[in-house]
Structures are given as C-alpha cells and as structure tokens.
Amino acid sequence: MSFKKAFSALVTAVLTMILMSLVCFADSEKPSFSSDLSLVSRSYDEETMMYFYAFPDGAKFYASEVLSDSENFTSILLVGTEEDDISILVNSANGFLEQSQEVFLTEDGVYEVTISHELRNASGSVQARFAVEIGEQSAAPAETVISGRVSLENGDGETFRHTFLNGEIFETNVLDGETVSFMPKLSVPENVVCSMTRDGKICSLSTSGLITEDGAYKIDFTCYGSDGRLEKRYFSFNFFSKPTNRLGIFQAPFGFELTRITLNGKDVPVTERNFADLNGEGEYFIEYKNGNTTRSVKLSRDITPPVLYFNGTTDVIFSERVFVTSDTECSIRVTKNGQISSSTTELLGAGIYRITATDAAGNTTSARVEIKAVSAINPLDFVIIFGVLVVGGVVYFFIQRNRKMTVR
C-alpha cells in the first residue's frame, strides 16, 4: 500500500471515530423524558366531572381525561391544581410553556407534562410525568388499529354523523363532549359493537336510541373495516334535564368556543373560550360557536340541601312520636338504632333515629333525632312529684284529724 493511500485511510478512520464520539456525546446530552404515574392514585369527581390524582401525602391535581403511562391522545386537555406546593411544567415542540397552576392544551402537537410536589412530611420531592398528543386523529389510515374519539361531521346543525371503516354511519343530535338539557338520541349501526356507561356504571341503550336519565355518558364503539383494520372509537356527553348540583366546570364541546353565559338573566363575563367555572346557583344559559354553527344550552344549578322539620320544629329530642317534613320535595331514608326503618315520615317508639334527605338535584342533609322512653324522664321530676304527694297526704291527714265529729 502506498503512503498516500495509507494516509487517506488513517484520516478517514480518525474522522469516523470523532464523528461517532460526537453523536454519542450529543445523545448523552439530550434530555430524556419517561412517563411515570406510579406514585399517584386516581379518582373521579362527578360534580366537576374531573379526574383527580393524589400523591402519597394527599396533595392533588386534576385532569379532564384519564391519564396513562403509555399513550394519551385527546382533542383538548385541562390539567390543574389548587395546591400551592404542586407545580406544573409543560414542554412542547416550541419549548416550555409559561408555568401556571392550570394549563389548557388545545393546539395540535405532542406535550411532555411534569407535575412536581414537595412531600409535606419533608421526605423529599416526587413527580408525576406523562406525555399527551393533542390532535383530531390518533392514528394514520395505514395503521392496523384506528382509535380515539369519534369524528363528527355537521349535517344540518342539529344532526351529526361519524362514518366507520365498514361504511356504517353513527348519527346523533349531541356533540362529542357536549352538555345538554334536551333528550339525546343515538342511532348506532347494527354492525358496530356499542357499550355504554352512565356515571361510570354499565347501562343499555334503548331500541329507540333515546337517553331519558340524567347523568354523564360514555359510549365505546368497535368495528372492523373491509380491509381487516380495527376501529375503536369513543364518544361522551352529559345530560341534565333537571336541576343538579353536578355542574362545576363547564367545557365547550370539542372544536367549539364559548361566546355567551348568563346566570338568572344576567351576563357573566366569558374569560376563557374553552371552559367556564359555574360557581353560582340558578338558571344558566350558555352559548357556544364553531364557525357558522351556534348552539346553546339551559342548565339549572342547585346546591342548596333540603331542610328537615320534626313536628314542625327543628328540635331533635322528643318524648312522643315524630312526623318528618321538609321544605322541598325529596326522598327520605330513616334508620332506627342503626337499622333501616320501614317508616320514613313518622318516627314511632323510643330510640335513636338518623334521617337523611336527598333532593332531585342530589343535595343531601342529615339529622339525628332521639325519642326518649317514659322511663327516661328526669329522675328529679319523680322526686318532685313524690314530694308533692307526701305533702298533700300530710295536709289531708291533719285536716281530717282536726275535723269535729258530727252526731245526727
């Protein structure tokens, strides 16, 4: 081998080694992110319709969706906390977002969310981490499984449709993520498997497709396309035709923005376009818009529990039977000495009663009532009565003794 060729080979080898070392160094410097929700426990709050995540010491943060260590995909995501010792940091393709106690993600993209907390027993800090993709679809058409929310197309402003892989069409009068006070109607194709839950419990869809019971609904769809691909979609909405105490944070349907809110006829400032905090009581009117489509809903929020009366009073100790009434229509449950009582409006016999009343809005109140036995009368009362009888007897004796005998 000539000197020139040997020198060229040596230079090439050196440059290759330098390049590889630079790549390795760059990889070692690149920050890594791994999802980890193992330190938090999850619960669901029906009133706010939010998922709450608690650290070991009880500190909590909330999210509008169920979070997973593996894959999270949604159109929008709200993450927040009311705890001062919890911080939320969000990293996007454009860098870190401004730090806040409540973050609302609506722009398409992949986000890395880190929630940090200093344990209150001074045993160090902990983190919950997850990645989430915000977008309209969760899978490319070429993939074997297509999943995510239904993709509803606007028919006439009142009817919305989703077309499945097999060509079947799901039709509804409710938007995905919408809260309505009119009866939702669902038309599910025969070749699509459907399962539904209300307030987290499995329920069945009537043959008419009408939803008649208030609650938070989620529907899962499964079907196969002609090319063998599997499609799994889900769809959720809330139906409250009666006054309810479950209205907390109102979210606009996916793709819509809030335009107007009134409470008992008075305008409420719209500070956020995607959600509103309904902290008042009374009749709400909420309007939201997406392009040329405008929809609205009227909802009644009632957070006042019923008031119980016993024999027309608020007394709770009696020595006679008690009649239970309330200031509003409600269901009443009674236990006597810890056992369920068959009578709900009339309390009979001595014992300790626990009365619980629940109104139509879900508000509850409870009271403890005691009916004392006759023998439970204060012993001092017996002493006084006995003393009066003794004095009366003595007086009667002296009167009879001093009375002169009359001879006829």
Side-chain angles (χ1 to χ4, degrees), residues 104 249-253 255-261 268-278 285-290 294-297:
F104 199 75
I249 296 178
F250 180 92
Q251 286 186 275
F256 281 70
E257 290 188 344
L258 299 175
T259 54
R260 188 188 178 200
I261 302 174
V268 176
V270 180
T271 56
E272 297 287 344
R273 292 296 176 181
N274 299 105
F275 68 96
D277 186 9
L278 306 186
F285 171 82
I286 305 173
E287 184 183 76
Y288 37 93
K289 182 181 291 189
N290 178 10
T294 301
R295 286 169 70 86
S296 61
V297 62

Side-chain angles (χ1 to χ4, degrees), residues 137-194:
Q137 296 184 356
S138 62
E143 293 186 0
T144 305
V145 179
I146 297 179
S147 61
R149 292 186 173 275
V150 294
S151 180
L152 294 178
E153 296 180 356
N154 191 345
D156 54 6
E158 299 293 333
T159 305
F160 308 92
R161 301 179 181 89
H162 173 83
T163 303
F164 290 97
L165 283 174
N166 59 5
E168 301 277 5
I169 296 176
F170 163 64
E171 196 170 76
T172 178
N173 62 347
V174 184
L175 290 165
D176 189 18
E178 189 173 23
T179 299
V180 298
S181 54
F182 60 81
M183 281 190 187
K185 182 175 176 59
L186 314 176
S187 177
V188 182
E190 292 184 1
N191 295 325
V192 175
V193 178
C194 165

Side-chain angles (χ1 to χ4, degrees), residues 186 188 192-198 201-205 217-222 232-237:
L186 314 176
V188 182
V192 175
V193 178
C194 165
S195 63
M196 183 170 71
T197 61
R198 180 180 65 251
K201 298 180 181 178
I202 296 175
C203 61
S204 59
L205 180 64
Y217 288 83
K218 185 184 179 208
I219 300 131
D220 292 292
F221 303 101
T222 304
K232 300 178 73 174
R233 299 283 187 177
Y234 66 95
F235 168 63
S236 62
F237 61 90

